[in-house]
Amino acid sequence: LSGQHEAAIAEAQAGVKLAPELAESYQTLGTALVAAGRAREALEPLQQSLKIDPASASAHCNWGIASTASGDPVAGKKKATK
């Protein structure tokens, strides 16, 4: 599975390069990083997604998941329920 996760991360990174103005590009990268067990790395692209689209419920939820998986469940719960 790790090969599939790395491929998904590479594809998501390419998506960010192609469409850096889209919140979904960063959210896809963050989600792929979380799935690969790299939650701490996922926080930055998920935060960028929220800067672009602060009303995105899925971005808030995914940031909360990544934050919790990174060892900060308090911040994760706050963001996920925002």
Side-chain angles (χ1 to χ4, degrees), residues 24 27 31 46 49-50 53 55-65 80:
E24 293 83 2
Q27 193 170 165
T31 302
L46 290 170
S49 176
L50 286 167
D53 184 5
S56 172
S58 60
H60 281 279
C61 184
N62 286 325
W63 194 94
I65 290 167

Side-chain angles (χ1 to χ4, degrees), residues 6-80:
E6 293 308 314
I9 291 167
E11 288 290 323
Q13 288 170 328
V16 167
K17 287 182 182 175
L18 286 171
E21 72 282 359
L22 295 178
E24 293 83 2
S25 298
Y26 293 96
Q27 193 170 165
T28 300
L29 176 56
T31 302
L33 287 164
V34 170
R38 295 164 56 182
R40 193 169 307 276
E41 290 176 63
L43 294 171
E44 186 178 331
L46 290 170
Q47 189 63 40
Q48 183 62 31
S49 176
L50 286 167
K51 284 181 183 176
I52 296 168
D53 184 5
S56 172
S58 60
H60 281 279
C61 184
N62 286 325
W63 194 94
I65 290 167
S67 182
T68 299
S70 295
D72 191 354
V74 174
K77 183 177 180 182
K78 281 183 181 179
K79 186 67 81 172

